[in-house]
């Protein structure tokens, strides 16, 4: 069936997630993030992605409240930051995020990074303990689905040794410039939906001539082509912008379809833009 602005993916627990989400990384707390989320909701996004570390959960929550949408009609994600390594701390962190967002539950809660520097000696055990809390939060209805972010195959396999719930999503840096095939395959193997943050390579791929040529062919922008590519691959793109016209444009991707040939060209671009950082070598 053709994709529309109302299309959703179904997670393995049956929860539906809108196919294009709105990214808020680097949207500053206060007016910037609030206005961006308000613009996004007006443009038709029904899926907002934030994180404790973005520092903008309060602004995101205010925008949702001000827009006045029924809770069940919006999908909200937040993430557990790298300084939380125990069951008890995770419990406090989720409660804090919910309070800032002004919500009783989030639709998706993620472990933000698999291997923070402070637990590099025992990340496996720490992730397993935190995951146990996330499973309980799921059971308690504080979250509707749970997942991971920036996890590579070895991190997924380690978590699955003790997990009762297989993660519902893996959110990774994913664009035509950084396709992370091994991580996508490792996620697919377990039915884990791949969410694409930085689907525009944080803006770095938008001048690539091949992408511009494809965009011109359809009367679309390179950003729209990159987002459409992500959708046609079955990913869940989360484009970020604080610019009204771009926010509107980035979800206007349902009136054209890339051909197999377009996709071949897009996938041959290689590392033309920003690439993902190695989670085992991150300095935080
Ligand atoms: P801004 O927020 O100032 O509008 P990504 O989603 O890959 O992380 O990319 C986000 C970056 O790309 C931001 O710098 C954002 O700028 C910029 N951006 C988002 N949408 C567009 C667009 N349609 N055209 C050009 N740049 C864009």
């Amino acid at each position: 069936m053709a994709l529309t602005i109302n299309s959703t993916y179904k997670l393995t627990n049956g929860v539906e997630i809108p196919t294009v989400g709105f990214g808020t990384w680097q949207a500053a707390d206060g007016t910037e993030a609030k206005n961006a989320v308000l613009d996004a909701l007006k443009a038709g996004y029904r899926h907002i992605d934030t994180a404790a570390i973005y520092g903008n959960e309060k602004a995101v929550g205010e925008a949702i409240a001000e827009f006045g949408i029924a809770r069940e009609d919006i999908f909200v994600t937040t993430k557990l930051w790298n300084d939380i390594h125990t069951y008890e701390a995770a419990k406090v962190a989720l409660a804090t995020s919910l309070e800032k967002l002004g919500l009783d539950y989030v639709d998706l809660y993620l472990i933000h990074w698999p291997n923070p520097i402070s637990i590099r000696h025992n990340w496996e055990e720490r992730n397993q303990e935190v995951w146990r809390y996330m499973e309980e939060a799921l059971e308690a209805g504080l979250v509707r689905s749970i997942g991971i972010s920036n996890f590579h195959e070895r991190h997924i396999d380690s978590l699955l040794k003790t997990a009762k719930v297989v993660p519902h999503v893996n959110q990774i840096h994913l664009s035509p410039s950084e396709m992370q095939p091994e991580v996508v395959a490792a996620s697919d193997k377990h039915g884990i939906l791949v969410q694409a943050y930085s689907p525009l390579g944080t803006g770095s791929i938008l001048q690539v001539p091949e992408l511009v040529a494809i965009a011109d062919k359809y009367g679309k922008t390179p950003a729209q082509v990159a987002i459409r590519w992500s959708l046609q691959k079955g990913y869940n793109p989360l484009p970020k912008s604080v610019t009204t016209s771009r926010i509107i444009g980035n979800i206007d991707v349902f009136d054209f379809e890339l051909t197999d040939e377009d996709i071949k060209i897009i996938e041959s671009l290689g590392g033309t833009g920003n690439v993902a950082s190695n989670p085992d070598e991150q300095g935080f």
Side-chain angles (χ1 to χ4, degrees):
M1 210 172 68
L3 284 168
T4 73
I5 197 169
N6 299 317
S7 295
T8 56
Y9 292 117
K10 202 171 265 198
L11 303 176
T12 49
N13 64 347
V15 166
E16 293 194 32
I17 181 168
T19 51
V20 178
F22 183 65
T24 63
W25 178 43
Q26 294 177 329
D29 196 25
T31 327
E32 182 175 81
K34 185 177 170 185
N35 287 342
V37 173
L38 273 170
D39 279 347
L41 292 169
K42 284 180 205 152
Y45 294 79
R46 291 295 177 264
H47 169 180
I48 312 291
D49 183 273
T50 182
I53 193 65
Y54 300 170
N56 57 20
E57 287 170 313
K58 191 162 173 286
V60 168
E62 284 171 5
I64 292 169
E66 189 169 313
F67 187 69
I69 189 166
R71 178 65 187 89
E72 63 272 22
D73 291 336
I74 182 155
F75 191 102
V76 182
T77 302
T78 195
K79 314 185 189 85
L80 186 83
W81 185 236
N82 291 3
D83 55 351
I84 306 297
H85 312 304
T86 63
Y87 176 97
E88 284 305 324
K91 192 171 180 178
V92 174
L94 176 59
T96 306
S97 284
L98 288 174
E99 193 188 339
K100 286 188 179 159
L101 285 160
L103 300 175
D104 298 330
Y105 66 88
V106 284
D107 298 279
L108 177 61
Y109 199 41
L110 307 180
I111 298 182
H112 208 142
W113 287 90
N115 193 357
I117 195 159
S118 59
I119 55 164
R120 204 146 283 166
H121 57 294
N122 66 344
W123 60 270
E124 300 197 60
E125 167 193 304
R126 294 297 94 224
N127 285 342
Q128 289 166 359
E129 179 173 320
V130 162
W131 192 250
R132 185 162 58 82
Y133 173 66
M134 296 187 50
E135 290 173 334
E136 282 192 23
L138 183 67
E139 187 85 7
L142 294 173
V143 302
R144 291 178 67 230
S145 50
I146 53 179
I148 51 185
S149 183
N150 300 297
F151 275 51
H152 287 188
E153 183 163 27
R154 71 193 198 97
H155 310 120
I156 297 173
D157 288 347
S158 161
L159 195 72
L160 291 180
K161 282 184 200 159
T162 59
K164 289 199 222 109
V165 176
V166 175
H168 298 118
V169 314
N170 188 12
Q171 183 176 130
I172 60 171
H173 185 139
L174 183 60
S175 78
S177 173
E178 174 56 293
M179 296 191 288
Q180 302 220 55
E182 297 84 6
V183 181
V184 169
S187 305
D188 284 351
K189 194 161 103 185
H190 301 288
I192 301 172
L193 178 70
V194 174
Q195 296 191 293
Y197 75 79
S198 297
L200 314 175
T202 57
S204 62
I205 58 169
L206 302 177
Q207 320 295 333
V208 176
E210 292 89 337
L211 210 55
V212 174
I214 294 171
D216 287 348
K217 191 169 77 166
Y218 295 105
K220 304 299 277 187
T221 65
Q224 289 166 330
V225 170
I227 294 163
R228 183 75 204 188
W229 169 81
S230 196
L231 287 175
Q232 288 186 219
K233 295 294 285 184
Y235 306 144
N236 186 203
L238 309 168
K240 175 265 173 184
S241 177
V242 292
T243 312
T244 307
S245 57
R246 293 171 173 173
I247 292 170
I248 294 168
N250 290 348
I251 200 168
D252 180 13
V253 292
F254 299 102
D255 59 353
F256 75 113
E257 190 165 0
L258 299 168
T259 63
D260 292 346
E261 182 58 24
D262 296 329
I263 290 176
K264 219 159 89 192
I265 294 169
I266 291 168
E267 297 189 353
S268 70
L269 297 179
T272 42
N274 288 351
V275 294
S277 39
N278 182 341
D280 293 323
E281 291 170 5
Q282 280 285 12
F284 52 81

